[in-house]
Amino acid sequence: MTLERKNMRYLSITGFYPDEKQDDTLQFELALKDYELNQILAQLTESKTLEELEPGELQLTEPQVRQVADLLKIDFPNGLEYFIGTRADN
């Protein structure tokens, strides 16, 4: 018997230069596919479960960026604005 996963949801973090740079190209992208980590990030950013998050992206505040960086044990590039949003694999 084969288990079929439909549209596995996960979070993605993207980074762009601020508007005053007039460069809207993607500068940073990180897909987070670990379910438990996604639940923690959903609670951290929107106080909801992953399943409750609406489609679209939310801009992360500086404190949120620091919290996410600590949680993921990564350094985000300086000088970017960061967004988090849901994605789905088919």
Side-chain angles (χ1 to χ4, degrees), residues 9-13 30-32 38 41-42 50 53 84-86:
R9 294 181 75 190
Y10 63 93
L11 293 171
S12 174
I13 298 173
L30 178 63
L32 303 159
N38 276 281
L41 289 170
L50 178 64
L53 295 182
I84 191 165
T86 58

Side-chain angles (χ1 to χ4, degrees), residues 9 19 22 37 40 45 47 87:
R9 294 181 75 190
D19 287 341
Q22 297 183 348
L37 189 57
I40 293 168
T45 58
S47 300
R87 303 284 186 268

Side-chain angles (χ1 to χ4, degrees), residues 2 4 7 9 11 15 18 25 27 29 36 38 44 54 59 62 66 69 73 77 81-83 85-86:
T2 304
E4 186 177 317
N7 295 334
R9 294 181 75 190
L11 293 171
T25 58
Q27 300 297 313
E29 184 173 30
E36 290 182 20
N38 276 281
L44 175 73
E54 297 292 328
Q59 185 170 356
E62 283 295 319
R66 286 191 297 274
K73 296 178 177 45
E81 293 179 340
Y82 291 95
F83 298 84
T86 58

Side-chain angles (χ1 to χ4, degrees), residues 1-77:
M1 184 166 116
T2 304
L3 289 177
E4 186 177 317
R5 285 190 160 180
K6 293 195 311 186
N7 295 334
M8 184 185 140
R9 294 181 75 190
Y10 63 93
L11 293 171
S12 174
I13 298 173
T14 54
F16 298 89
Y17 287 120
D19 287 341
E20 60 268 11
K21 288 266 192 178
Q22 297 183 348
D23 179 352
D24 62 356
T25 58
L26 182 65
Q27 300 297 313
F28 178 88
E29 184 173 30
L30 178 63
L32 303 159
K33 296 196 175 184
D34 178 270
Y35 180 78
E36 290 182 20
L37 189 57
N38 276 281
Q39 290 295 350
I40 293 168
L41 289 170
Q43 284 293 321
L44 175 73
T45 58
E46 294 198 52
S47 300
K48 296 180 180 179
T49 66
L50 178 64
E51 294 77 19
E52 294 173 315
L53 295 182
E54 297 292 328
E57 290 193 326
L58 172 73
Q59 185 170 356
L60 295 172
T61 64
E62 283 295 319
Q64 287 174 324
V65 170
R66 286 191 297 274
Q67 288 177 308
V68 171
D70 288 345
L71 178 68
L72 300 178
K73 296 178 177 45
I74 63 170
D75 292 323
F76 286 101

